[in-house]
Amino acid sequence: MLDDGVVLFDGAMGTMLYERGIFINRCFDEVNLTKPEMVERIHREYIAAGSDIIETNTFGANRYKLKYFGIEDRMEEINLRGAEIASEASSGSALVAGAIGPLGIKIEPWGPTSNQEAAEAFGEQAEALLKGGVDLFILETFADLNEIHQALRAVREICDLPVVAQMTVQQDGIGLYGTEPETFTGRLDQWGADAIGINCNVGPKVMLEVIERMVPCTDRPVSAQPNAGIPQNVDDRNIYMVSPEYIAEYARRFVKKGVRIIGGCCGTTPKHIEAVRKSIRDSVPEVKVKSRSSIECRPAGETASVPTAEKSSLASRVYSGELARMVELVPPRGCDSDKALEAASRLALSGADAINIPDSPRATSRMSALSL
């Protein structure tokens, strides 16, 4: 462990496999069986860089994602081998976290898969990882709060090992389903996650802003594993441009805000982890955490169901069978939104029930639909 009480995870596994010739149309988890020496070498590089904990190469090794490649019958073998490879690489010099990611399908209420079916899928993956000898579990890159709840519940039913539970957010700092950091932090705290955090999808800057909202809402350790920025397309390859030094600078800021578990996600490499390790060791942060009473944290109870007709004025019209009036408003060509906002105001006064903002109409360069 680090001198100041911060635990350092490893960085990306997929990025490293991709750099070594395992392309994105392949199943990265199956590499545990086809090229175990490659996976073990990557683990060893992260340990040499200073990682206290390495993650198994099993992020997508659940029955639903493996079915896409026609190897769902090898689920147990892939997870078991992933845990064994990591344990062999660490040889006791680092802890091994069993990595579990989303199922890759929508579960209720968003999709047809039930909560119980989801929990069973997570449970069978966790059992295989446990059999392989992992020291803890990490649930990562979850966008759906209900889905990570099923994963956490499944792990808790088979063992009492520590669980790090990490959600992912969009560039606006909110979850894909509109869940705010205060909400998912409070829920995961109540459900008994041993550490709560965010990973993937965003770079260090956005992640720091989200961390500032999370820390006051829990007394549990908070984790942060950012991407190395947003990937840029260079010669038909996605390249992450954020340097190890940039990640290291934000690692210090994470610690000052109260983060106690740091690692990297997509685009990060052993060089990033090595820089983070050195950055944290060279600094003695003065942690200043706001009192939980000084910020409004969402209650951890279940959200009350709202009748369809009461969700919005548009929903009310559609539900009652009335004519709904939607008007399309095209984004401007530049960055000035004043005229579009004036038009929206006039439409509202004229009785429009909703405004539709098309994305890239006629494939022309315009302001982002989401921004407008």
Side-chain angles (χ1 to χ4, degrees):
M1 302 306 171
L2 298 184
D3 296 338
D4 55 11
V6 177
V7 177
L8 185 59
F9 266 72
D10 55 10
M13 173 60 74
T15 296
M16 298 296 291
L17 291 174
Y18 180 72
E19 286 184 355
R20 297 176 192 200
I22 309 298
F23 296 109
I24 57 176
N25 61 338
R26 293 272 305 277
C27 176
F28 283 3
D29 310 286
E30 189 187 18
V31 180
N32 291 338
L33 306 181
T34 58
K35 293 182 180 295
E37 70 285 349
M38 180 183 292
V39 177
E40 183 174 356
R41 193 177 308 119
I42 294 170
H43 284 320
R44 290 186 184 279
E45 289 175 14
Y46 277 120
I47 293 172
S51 295
D52 298 302
I53 302 177
I54 56 174
E55 298 183 27
T56 57
N57 179 39
T58 56
F59 172 75
N62 62 71
R63 73 166 87 141
Y64 292 101
K65 283 191 174 180
L66 294 178
K67 186 177 182 180
Y68 177 81
F69 298 97
I71 54 173
E72 66 273 23
D73 59 329
R74 306 192 76 179
M75 183 280 305
E76 182 178 8
E77 183 184 7
I78 290 172
N79 282 280
L80 178 62
R81 192 70 187 105
E84 291 174 344
I85 293 170
S87 296
E88 291 163 7
S90 71
S91 299
S93 60
L95 297 178
V96 174
I100 297 177
L103 298 176
I105 56 174
K106 295 186 184 303
I107 70 172
E108 60 176 307
W110 314 111
T113 305
S114 70
N115 289 335
Q116 186 57 37
E117 288 172 320
E120 289 174 0
F122 287 125
E124 63 187 13
Q125 183 182 1
E127 285 181 353
L129 290 168
L130 185 64
K131 186 177 179 181
V134 298
D135 301 297
L136 68 154
F137 286 91
I138 181 166
L139 315 176
E140 55 186 358
T141 325
F142 281 82
D144 181 1
L145 183 58
N146 183 44
E147 185 177 12
I148 197 172
H149 185 198
Q150 306 315 313
L152 179 58
R153 182 165 67 91
V155 173
R156 285 287 183 243
E157 287 180 355
I158 66 168
C159 69
D160 58 358
L161 292 180
V163 180
V164 180
Q166 296 184 153
M167 296 287 288
T168 190
V169 297
Q170 306 301 299
Q171 293 300 317
D172 60 0
I174 307 299
L176 180 63
Y177 293 90
T179 311
E180 305 217 14
E182 294 86 352
T183 300
F184 65 69
T185 302
R187 296 284 180 86
L188 291 170
D189 187 308
Q190 185 197 44
W191 292 333
D194 295 285
I196 302 167
I198 53 173
N199 77 292
C200 202
N201 220 38
V202 297
K205 182 178 182 298
V206 174
M207 191 162 288
L208 179 63
E209 295 169 354
V210 176
I211 288 296
E212 289 174 336
R213 299 173 60 180
M214 293 176 59
V215 170
C217 294
T218 182
D219 294 323
R220 301 180 189 273
V222 173
S223 64
Q225 294 185 276
N227 281 359
I230 306 300
Q232 305 297 315
N233 188 278
V234 180
D235 294 331
D236 296 323
R237 294 185 66 186
N238 284 330
I239 305 297
Y240 289 87
M241 311 299 285
V242 168
S243 69
E245 293 74 21
Y246 185 84
I247 291 281
E249 170 58 31
Y250 268 89
R252 279 199 296 266
R253 300 183 188 184
F254 288 151
V255 174
K256 289 181 180 179
K257 294 298 180 181
V259 171
R260 285 295 168 266
I261 301 172
I262 297 178
C265 206
C266 301
T268 58
T269 67
K271 290 183 178 179
H272 291 85
I273 298 304
E274 184 177 13
V276 169
R277 181 89 186 194
K278 183 180 296 185
S279 172
I280 296 174
R281 270 190 161 174
D282 291 345
S283 63
V284 182
E286 179 184 353
V287 181
K288 297 180 179 180
V289 182
K290 294 180 181 178
S291 167
R292 294 185 69 174
S293 61
S294 67
I295 188 169
E296 179 188 356
C297 297
R298 304 299 191 273
E302 296 299 323
T303 303
S305 176
V306 178
T308 302
E310 297 177 13
K311 289 183 182 292
S312 67
S313 58
L314 177 62
S316 177
R317 280 186 172 276
V318 173
Y319 190 81
S320 63
E322 296 181 44
L323 180 66
R325 293 156 294 192
M326 299 181 67
V327 182
E328 186 172 279
L329 188 61
V330 178
R333 291 184 180 274
C335 60
D336 187 352
S337 61
D338 289 348
K339 289 185 178 179
L341 295 176
E342 290 175 6
S345 295
R346 290 198 299 271
L347 289 170
L349 293 172
S350 300
D353 295 300
I355 294 174
N356 172 43
I357 310 295
D359 186 21
S360 188
R362 298 188 179 182
T364 56
S365 180
R366 294 177 180 272
M367 177 185 283
S368 158
L370 180 60
S371 296
L372 181 59

